[in-house]
Amino acid sequence: MELRDFTINSLRQRIKAREIKATDVCHASLERAEKLTDLNAFITLTPDRALKQAAEIDLAADAGRPLPPLAGAVIAIKDNMVIRGVRTTAGSKILFNYKPPYTATVVERLEAAGAVIIGKTNCDEFAMGSSNENSAYGPVKNPWDRERVPGGSSGGSAVAVSTGIALAALGSDTGGSIRQPASLTGVVGFKPTYGRVSRYGLIAFGSSLDQIGPFANSVEDAALVLSIIAGRDPIDSTSSDAPVDDYLGAAKGDVRGLRVGVPRQYYGTGLDEEVRASVESAIKKLEDLGATVVDISLPNTEYAVPVYYLIATAEASSNLARFDGVRYGFRAEEADTLKSMYSRTRDQGFGAEVKRRIMLGTYALSAGYYDAYYGKAQRVRSLIERDFRNAFEMCDVIATPTSPTPAFRLGEKTDDPLEMYLSDIYTITANLAGVPGVSLPCGFTSNGLPIGLQLIGRRFDETTLVRAASNIEQAIDLDTKPPVEGL
Amino acid sequence: MRDKYEVVIGLEIHAQLKTESKIFCSCSTRFGDEPNSNTCPVCLGLPGALPVLNRAVVEMSAHAALALNLTINQESIFSRKNYFYPDLPKGYQISQYDRPFSERGWVEIPTSERNESGHAIEWKMKRFRIHRLHIEEDAGKSLHEGMRESASKSYVDLNRSGVPLAEIVSEPDFRSSWEAYDYVQYLRRALQYTDVCDGNMEEGNLRCDANVSIMPRGAEKFGTKVELKNLNSFRFLQRALEYEIDRQIAAVESGERIIQETRLWNERDSKTYSMRSKEEAHDYRYFPEPDLPPLVVSETMIEHVRQSMPELPEARRRRLIEQYSLSPDDAAQLTDTRTMADFYEATARASANPKSAANWILNELVRELKNTGTDISASPVGAESLGAMIRKIDDQTISGKMAKDALIEMYKSGKSVDEVVSEMGGGQVSDEGAIREMARQVIASNPRQLEQYRSGKSTLLGFFVGQMMKASGGRANPQVVNRVIKEMLEGEGQQN
């Protein structure tokens, strides 16, 4: 059985017709995961939990009971979302043994909708990274070229979906951590509007930027999963009570009259020529389908990277203060005072990139520097938000490359954090402005690496993104199965 | 020496708001439960958990703010105060910084210096300004002793983590320890009146830090301030301030410079000790809490709270003086708590004798309550019952002396004044004929005392009155007895 031959809905129909058993699907998924351990996409597999959930679906199917929308869909969860009793590390040594006593809202919603949670995927430590090389559990490899990174920080989730271990996966996106790995592995990755999906149970990195979203092999599946996890959660004060639209239905609409904005700032230096060509041709496809292309400007884009690395790190420096060795997780044993217990625990428990960002964020918030750094960054952030508001007066959706380059080599940028940070140059603006964005495959480089197109929409206008993405997907009709044995 | 210097004190009060559940989760705020039993992912600061503001906290804070004449900001912001401590599970405390819940308040209250025996010298009205009141969560508690392995370990109890607090910051308006003392007393009373805080310093639901400095009298610039902590009772607060003022004056007089630092009051030694200097002071790196939207308080809600505000202690004290012609001291005592004031006013009404009601409560009932450790709200003698008793005195059914005994009996048994009086053999005897008859017998059976009285030993009047009261079982109307026996002792003498 090959999971990539199914959509979530087609699988559900087959299970409902009792042509396929959810438990068999689950076994197939687990076998594939075992076979592909060298990709290192998972930190923890949860076969017992998965098989139990699958068996319940089979029971319901056998009894002729109606099946929920995600019935039997094997879904992987990024390891920065908590599941009761399941080890949750966030890719960090400091949580190497942490088993949370509660479950994230998104996971509860998926399971209530019949999803089979297969395991926890590898990621950059505390979601800080663009290559998945910052995981304490080793890097994830790109199935298109195992010498290359899958992107980050949700690299494991992207790879699990790309290789057909899971039909969908959840990632989190603070500056591009869903869209960039989706782009580098040839899958669909959706970052919803800030507040669209509950963050309850997501281990925070940058709280005002973090948003959970789905990976899938089709726009339709991503839209379906999004429709399950979206909506107000009373225990996340930042979640919105804006009504959840019919994302699945939106996939069926056409794009005639849709105004597609192309911001010149996203096509400047640093953009790989093949990526540019591929993205431009995808935009051309939209035009062919009846959309209008408009030149737009997002003038404050050049400040996005510095603004992001001040705000995200400031929030992170505070969010990560709780990892102190006092209550859970790793604790350095050789300390003899409270202070040395703290510093040794955090020195040994955190990786280099996390420490770098904690220090950067601590500095940005320090007395005497706050106004010049954090305060100013917040002011520029509101200018970036305004850029988007202005742009959306002229267009309905913005089309850009997701990442300036295709997947780069493992180790290629690990010595140059600034270079690494630039991988997110096209994605972080959407987080700063709180607007939704989706990356979908739009082509390949000459050496066969996937290229992603990013579409950015108005706040809470996920439907337009789904509609546009779905139209491009059908028009381009790519084969996005990576060269992996059995696919 | 004191006269050369002016003292400047500012106070920061943490008042625990008496909500059922914590500020950002639904855990109970109950005190004294098994350590760490009232906890959940939110107040344990577990990764991924998020805060949701308890609306009851906003309501109570609004009551407190209005009681202190503060202006409530339509929009206020929660901020994170970052520091590491084992009983602070998130590594930050959710508090308010830039835009607090409320600002610019004041109280105008009586204050007085005290003489050596602690008695007020002269009460004066003074206005103290309040800088702000903001909302925050409490931290947990570190337990260094009393646990199984306390010798080698420290323990953490997070039951208190996330308990709601209102932090009330005064302006530096206090010029003596007694002003500070009177202010905190008043604040406690105001918070109790509005039913938002139990106000018990010993139990820690009202906590106080003070900033103290001195400057040469008449100077414009304040001296270097020292922060005092660990002031866990009203008495400690006043004594610590006194000690610190003396310490600073002595230091300055001997040519030392006061350094900005935090000092801890040690009750056992009656001294303050340095805890940390400014150089070691924390940089809390405040920034707006991204997990909580701004707190918006509508005009409607403020109006609603305003409508439900009780009369505040100072206003009530003044009204009691005015309305019932009470002395300022009595009025102050009777408005110490809202239940006391309610009890008094109900008794005043029921008795139709407000002055007498005040005396009976303050002199007799309060003593019984104190002896039995009972709060006035649970007094076995209710306001109606006490009022009825006072009426019986006023219509001469019973004497004041009888009433004292009756009240004790009423207090013990919970019976009404009528029941108790009838058990005592009936009301007082005022009938002059009956008393005259009784007097005749008393005089007849004490011829020797009669002789002495008549030969000029007029102090023996007391003896005869006593005999009369004894003979009547305490029921004879003392005024009638006095008049009648005097008349008979002297009048009959003349006849003979």
Side-chain angles (χ1 to χ4, degrees):
Chain A
M1 189 178 328
E2 172 46 58
L3 260 69
R4 286 215 50 169
D5 294 339
F6 298 101
T7 65
I8 292 172
N9 198 42
S10 71
L11 178 69
R12 177 173 164 274
Q13 296 303 338
R14 299 285 294 275
I15 294 171
K16 194 175 166 195
R18 298 172 66 198
E19 296 160 9
I20 291 180
K21 283 195 162 303
T23 36
D24 291 341
V25 176
C26 186
H27 278 299
S29 158
L30 288 165
E31 277 162 30
R32 165 143 293 174
E34 286 301 325
K35 218 178 275 173
L36 296 177
T37 46
D38 64 313
L39 294 176
N40 203 22
F42 285 84
I43 293 176
T44 307
L45 286 168
T46 52
D48 295 347
R49 187 186 185 94
L51 286 167
K52 199 169 149 244
Q53 175 85 356
E56 274 172 35
I57 298 292
D58 286 336
L59 219 60
D62 289 348
R65 288 202 297 272
L67 293 184
L70 302 182
V74 174
I75 293 183
I77 306 291
K78 186 178 182 180
D79 201 26
N80 63 351
M81 295 168 222
V82 299
I83 302 179
R84 185 189 172 103
V86 175
R87 180 170 75 137
T88 299
T89 71
S92 182
K93 178 185 170 184
I94 212 158
L95 288 176
F96 76 107
N97 60 356
Y98 179 60
K99 285 189 180 167
Y102 75 104
T103 300
T105 299
V106 284
V107 175
E108 283 184 346
R109 288 191 180 179
L110 289 180
E111 291 198 321
V116 172
I117 305 300
I118 195 78
K120 309 295 295 294
T121 57
N122 200 347
C123 57
D124 282 302
E125 185 176 5
F126 290 107
M128 296 179 188
S130 310
S131 68
N132 229 298
E133 291 164 292
N134 296 334
S135 168
Y137 304 90
V140 179
K141 288 169 188 162
N142 193 319
W144 294 90
D145 176 351
R146 292 172 192 224
E147 301 293 306
R148 289 177 190 268
V149 304
S153 65
S154 315
S157 287
V159 170
V161 168
S162 161
T163 55
I165 297 171
L167 275 171
L170 293 188
S172 66
D173 189 316
T174 306
S177 281
I178 291 173
R179 291 159 290 158
Q180 187 255 16
S183 168
L184 269 48
T185 58
V187 302
V188 176
F190 209 122
K191 183 208 92 81
T193 307
Y194 184 79
R196 179 69 296 173
V197 175
S198 168
R199 294 185 293 117
Y200 195 82
L202 169 68
I203 299 180
F205 160 20
S207 310
S208 73
L209 304 154
D210 297 341
Q211 191 61 196
I212 294 170
F215 288 92
N217 281 310
S218 66
V219 173
E220 180 192 314
D221 278 0
L224 175 56
V225 174
L226 178 61
S227 69
I228 300 297
I229 60 175
R232 168 82 181 154
D233 179 7
I235 53 178
D236 173 1
S237 310
T238 64
S239 75
S240 169
D241 52 12
V244 176
D245 297 320
D246 177 8
Y247 304 136
L248 215 48
K252 297 183 184 81
D254 64 46
V255 292
R256 266 175 301 200
L258 186 79
R259 296 172 302 166
V260 180
V262 178
R264 65 185 84 94
Q265 289 86 356
Y266 286 62
Y267 294 84
T269 48
L271 176 60
D272 179 278
E273 278 313 313
E274 282 186 297
V275 173
R276 177 201 301 273
S278 177
V279 165
E280 282 173 351
S281 113
I283 294 170
K284 184 75 182 46
K285 285 262 170 23
L286 270 178
E287 217 171 359
D288 294 346
L289 291 167
T292 332
V293 172
V294 212
D295 276 331
I296 58 159
S297 176
L298 296 164
N300 292 292
T301 301
E302 61 172 311
Y303 305 115
V305 170
V307 164
Y308 173 81
Y309 277 95
L310 288 167
I311 292 172
T313 58
E315 291 177 2
S317 72
S318 174
N319 284 331
L320 270 58
R322 70 190 65 195
F323 304 106
D324 57 6
V326 173
R327 292 162 304 277
Y328 47 77
F330 170 77
R331 177 195 288 188
E333 287 302 336
E334 67 275 26
D336 49 6
T337 64
L338 179 62
K339 215 170 170 181
S340 76
M341 194 266 278
Y342 282 154
S343 53
R344 281 166 193 259
T345 295
R346 290 166 67 80
D347 183 36
Q348 295 165 25
F350 289 138
E353 181 61 25
V354 169
K355 282 188 261 188
R356 180 181 295 123
R357 295 197 192 190
I358 289 174
M359 285 190 277
L360 201 58
T362 302
Y363 187 79
L365 290 175
S366 294
Y369 298 99
Y370 181 94
D371 286 337
Y373 293 110
Y374 184 78
K376 194 161 202 174
Q378 286 292 15
R379 290 193 289 279
V380 179
R381 180 180 186 172
S382 59
L383 295 180
I384 291 169
E385 279 173 53
R386 199 182 60 189
D387 280 359
F388 277 98
R389 271 200 309 278
N390 291 342
F392 284 122
E393 302 272 307
M394 297 167 64
C395 64
D396 306 305
V397 65
I398 293 169
T400 77
T402 307
S403 167
T405 67
F408 44 91
R409 289 181 186 283
L410 284 156
E412 189 179 325
K413 299 185 179 180
T414 40
D415 293 333
D416 189 348
L418 278 182
E419 182 68 21
M420 186 75 92
Y421 295 171
L422 290 175
S423 325
D424 294 330
I425 190 162
Y426 302 141
T427 47
I428 57 182
T429 47
N431 300 84
L432 289 170
V435 294
V438 59
S439 176
L440 71 155
C442 66
F444 291 94
T445 63
S446 51
N447 56 354
L449 295 173
I451 296 170
L453 165 75
Q454 174 177 236
L455 299 173
I456 301 171
R458 294 187 183 94
R459 286 171 61 77
F460 298 105
D461 187 14
E462 276 78 6
T463 51
T464 301
L465 288 188
V466 170
R467 181 156 59 98
S470 172
N471 275 271
I472 296 172
E473 182 183 54
Q474 283 163 38
I476 301 179
D477 193 22
L478 289 176
D479 178 3
T480 56
K481 286 181 186 165
V484 168
E485 192 196 342
L487 279 187
Chain B
M1 202 63 80
R2 277 286 178 97
D3 294 346
K4 279 171 66 182
Y5 294 92
E6 195 159 1
V7 174
V8 178
I9 300 169
L11 295 172
E12 286 172 21
I13 312 276
H14 287 89
Q16 183 181 320
L17 299 172
K18 49 195 274 194
T19 52
E20 292 283 314
S21 57
K22 293 184 179 180
I23 181 167
F24 297 126
C25 61
S26 51
C27 289
S28 167
T29 54
R30 214 171 23 245
F31 183 76
D33 281 0
E34 180 78 7
N36 297 309
S37 58
N38 296 328
T39 56
C40 74
V42 175
C43 57
L44 290 174
L46 294 186
L50 296 170
V52 176
L53 180 62
N54 178 351
R55 296 305 297 189
V57 170
V58 181
E59 185 112 347
M60 286 196 184
S61 304
H63 273 99
L66 293 185
L68 305 174
N69 300 299
L70 287 144
T71 304
I72 296 174
N73 285 323
Q74 242 176 40
E75 188 181 289
S76 64
I77 286 177
F78 286 100
S79 287
R80 292 187 185 176
K81 180 180 182 178
N82 295 283
Y83 64 95
F84 286 95
Y85 206 68
D87 61 23
L88 188 71
K90 296 189 295 296
Y92 56 84
Q93 176 193 28
I94 303 178
S95 179
Q96 295 192 299
Y97 187 60
D98 272 341
R99 221 180 310 158
F101 181 75
S102 57
E103 295 173 272
R104 298 179 305 279
W106 51 267
V107 291
E108 196 169 283
I109 55 168
T111 178
S112 169
E113 297 307 298
R114 312 298 204 265
N115 63 20
E116 267 111 56
S117 46
H119 293 299
I121 295 165
E122 187 197 358
W123 291 102
K124 290 178 303 227
M125 294 303 290
K126 190 169 169 185
R127 178 181 282 229
F128 300 110
R129 293 168 305 152
I130 297 168
H131 180 58
R132 59 190 267 165
L133 175 154
H134 69 249
I135 306 171
E136 61 184 29
E137 60 178 338
D138 208 345
K141 220 156 119 184
S142 295
L143 308 168
H144 300 293
E145 39 200 52
M147 305 297 281
R148 200 159 48 87
E149 290 177 68
S150 281
S152 59
K153 291 186 167 76
S154 285
Y155 291 75
V156 175
D157 176 9
L158 295 174
N159 280 352
R160 210 180 64 183
S161 165
V163 163
L165 301 175
E167 179 172 340
I168 303 160
V169 184
S170 81
E171 295 290 350
D173 282 357
F174 310 100
R175 293 292 169 272
S176 75
S177 63
W178 288 112
E179 286 190 357
Y181 177 91
D182 289 331
Y183 165 79
V184 181
Q185 286 277 11
Y186 180 77
L187 208 68
R188 184 196 59 147
R189 214 173 292 138
L191 296 173
Q192 287 173 334
Y193 262 62
T194 44
D195 204 24
V196 301
C197 176
D198 285 327
N200 190 327
M201 283 187 94
E202 285 79 4
E203 270 181 26
N205 50 46
L206 194 70
R207 303 198 284 269
C208 182
D209 300 336
N211 287 308
V212 190
S213 67
I214 56 163
M215 59 181 177
R217 194 160 289 282
E220 278 179 9
K221 200 168 163 286
F222 291 172
T224 305
K225 69 177 179 191
V226 168
E227 190 184 15
L228 292 187
K229 284 184 178 289
N230 207 25
L231 312 172
N232 298 329
S233 76
F234 291 101
R235 204 167 52 91
F236 292 3
L237 163 72
Q238 194 271 331
R239 289 176 53 176
L241 287 171
E242 279 303 305
Y243 173 86
E244 182 58 23
I245 294 163
D246 285 341
R247 188 192 70 83
Q248 291 190 16
I249 290 175
V252 169
E253 283 290 318
S254 63
E256 285 173 41
R257 204 170 51 91
I258 303 294
I259 55 164
Q260 188 173 337
E261 60 181 347
T262 300
R263 296 178 74 88
L264 229 48
W265 172 248
N266 183 310
E267 179 59 18
R268 204 175 27 205
D269 306 351
S270 296
K271 279 183 177 159
T272 62
Y273 288 101
S274 182
M275 190 171 120
R276 59 169 177 258
S277 72
K278 192 197 174 189
E279 287 69 39
E280 306 162 52
H282 284 122
D283 175 1
Y284 292 117
R285 307 189 312 279
Y286 283 100
F287 74 103
E289 165 59 281
D291 289 332
L292 289 167
L295 168 54
V296 176
V297 182
S298 68
E299 201 47 59
T300 332
M301 190 234 173
I302 295 174
E303 203 37 54
H304 173 79
V305 170
R306 207 185 295 281
Q307 299 296 336
S308 65
M309 286 293 279
E311 188 179 20
L312 292 168
E314 180 50 22
R316 196 161 189 182
R317 189 186 70 91
R318 288 189 223 182
R319 179 172 62 79
L320 258 52
I321 294 172
E322 184 93 347
Q323 185 174 339
Y324 303 114
S325 312
L326 297 181
S327 74
D329 267 358
D330 284 358
Q333 286 186 67
L334 290 169
T335 52
D336 186 44
T337 66
R338 198 170 149 189
T339 41
M340 170 66 97
D342 288 346
F343 189 95
Y344 167 68
E345 291 211 79
T347 311
R349 267 192 308 274
S351 66
N353 187 344
K355 263 235 128 74
S356 181
N359 291 335
W360 279 96
I361 291 171
L362 293 175
N363 300 331
E364 305 299 324
L365 184 61
V366 162
R367 185 193 58 231
E368 295 304 314
L369 291 168
K370 208 170 166 188
N371 288 344
T372 55
T374 310
D375 187 78
I376 191 147
S377 59
S379 170
V381 179
E384 289 300 324
S385 186
L386 183 59
M389 192 200 82
I390 293 168
R391 276 180 186 277
K392 290 233 179 293
I393 304 169
D394 290 348
D395 69 12
Q396 313 232 325
T397 309
I398 56 174
S399 67
K401 169 77 177 64
M402 284 178 75
K404 283 189 187 180
D405 297 338
L407 181 62
I408 291 171
E409 188 51 36
M410 287 159 69
Y411 193 92
K412 265 192 223 145
S413 63
K415 288 179 184 160
S416 71
V417 64
D418 288 334
E419 287 173 284
V420 169
V421 166
S422 96
E423 276 168 22
M424 288 162 79
Q428 97 181 322
V429 179
S430 301
D431 177 65
E432 205 170 315
I435 288 174
R436 224 169 255 286
E437 179 51 38
M438 211 186 294
R440 225 167 262 132
Q441 288 173 22
V442 166
I443 291 169
S445 24
N446 294 288
R448 202 159 55 86
Q449 282 81 357
L450 177 69
E451 193 54 43
Q452 289 173 337
Y453 183 88
R454 291 200 172 151
S455 50
K457 198 167 179 192
S458 58
T459 48
L460 274 173
L461 178 66
F463 166 79
F464 284 102
V465 170
Q467 290 301 307
M468 286 289 289
M469 294 313 283
K470 203 167 153 191
S472 71
R475 292 170 49 224
N477 182 327
Q479 273 119 51
V480 181
V481 166
N482 254 304
R483 182 165 53 74
V484 166
I485 193 116
K486 202 169 171 192
E487 191 184 298
M488 285 175 67
L489 286 170
E490 284 161 16
E492 282 176 21
Q494 277 165 3
Q495 271 169 30
N496 288 353

